[in-house]
Amino acid sequence: MISEDQLKRVAAWSRELTQAEIEVARAGITERSYGTGESVFMRGDTFDYWAGMVFGLARMGGVSRDGKETSLAGLTAGAWFGEGSVLKNEPRRYDVVALRSSRVALMERSAFMWLFENSVGFNRFLVRQLNERLGQFIGMLEVNRTLDATARLARSIASLFNPILYPESTAHLEITQEEIGALSGMSRQNANRALNRLEKEGLLRLEYGGVTILDVERLRGYGD
């Protein structure tokens, strides 16, 4: 169980709950730490939790039979994920791996389903969440099929500024170029070239240990 104050810090959706619903949510949540490269869960796992990033950075994706990695989304502080698998009570269809030391909040399926069946506020959030995630994945499919590496990286960074999926985002991202490459599905060298190009065009500023976004709207539409 976590405290009510901690729940409100790590879960923006909890602000829509009644006091009784908050008590159910906090009673069903624990936190767990993961080291760099450690799996939160893997494809095929029975993982009976809905999960949210307390801090750190993780990659949602998979590995094909020939060993090719595919990145579906980055997960930063405030992002909650895996609700589809919890609702359908099925094995996970993708991997989530910590790219740095991270802490994750884990809500038991029983608490999640109670909120799903009883809370209007929680259901409003889930509808928004699922709609935004669907839009993110449709956009990613289009980007991967039609745009070059720089545009793919620009769109990948911009995706971390969706206010529904990433409510804690700020203009400065504490993220390395290697991590950006991992989220974009490219090598550190290719990511470095793309980032330098975007910096020259005035869309972002590279800094020690991070990136400051100067024009998120141009990043979202980069390559059109």
Side-chain angles (χ1 to χ4, degrees), residues 149-212:
T150 301
R152 292 200 304 272
L153 182 140
R155 302 290 184 93
S156 179
I157 294 174
S159 72
L160 299 177
F161 289 86
N162 182 304
I164 303 299
L165 299 175
Y166 308 96
E168 304 303 324
S169 294
T170 62
H172 178 77
L173 288 175
E174 293 186 1
I175 188 169
T176 68
Q177 294 184 24
E178 184 175 3
E179 290 167 342
I180 291 174
L183 296 180
S184 306
M186 62 180 67
S187 68
R188 185 185 184 280
Q189 291 78 12
N190 287 337
N192 179 266
R193 284 194 288 270
L195 285 167
N196 278 285
R197 178 176 172 182
L198 295 173
E199 183 176 44
K200 289 178 182 178
E201 295 181 24
L203 278 71
L204 52 79
R205 183 171 62 248
L206 300 177
E207 299 168 345
Y208 181 77
V211 176
T212 293

Side-chain angles (χ1 to χ4, degrees), residues 31 63 81 88 103 118 136 171 173 204:
E31 294 184 5
V63 181
F81 55 95
K88 291 180 284 186
R103 192 160 179 83
N118 294 279
Q136 181 186 43
L173 288 175
L204 52 79

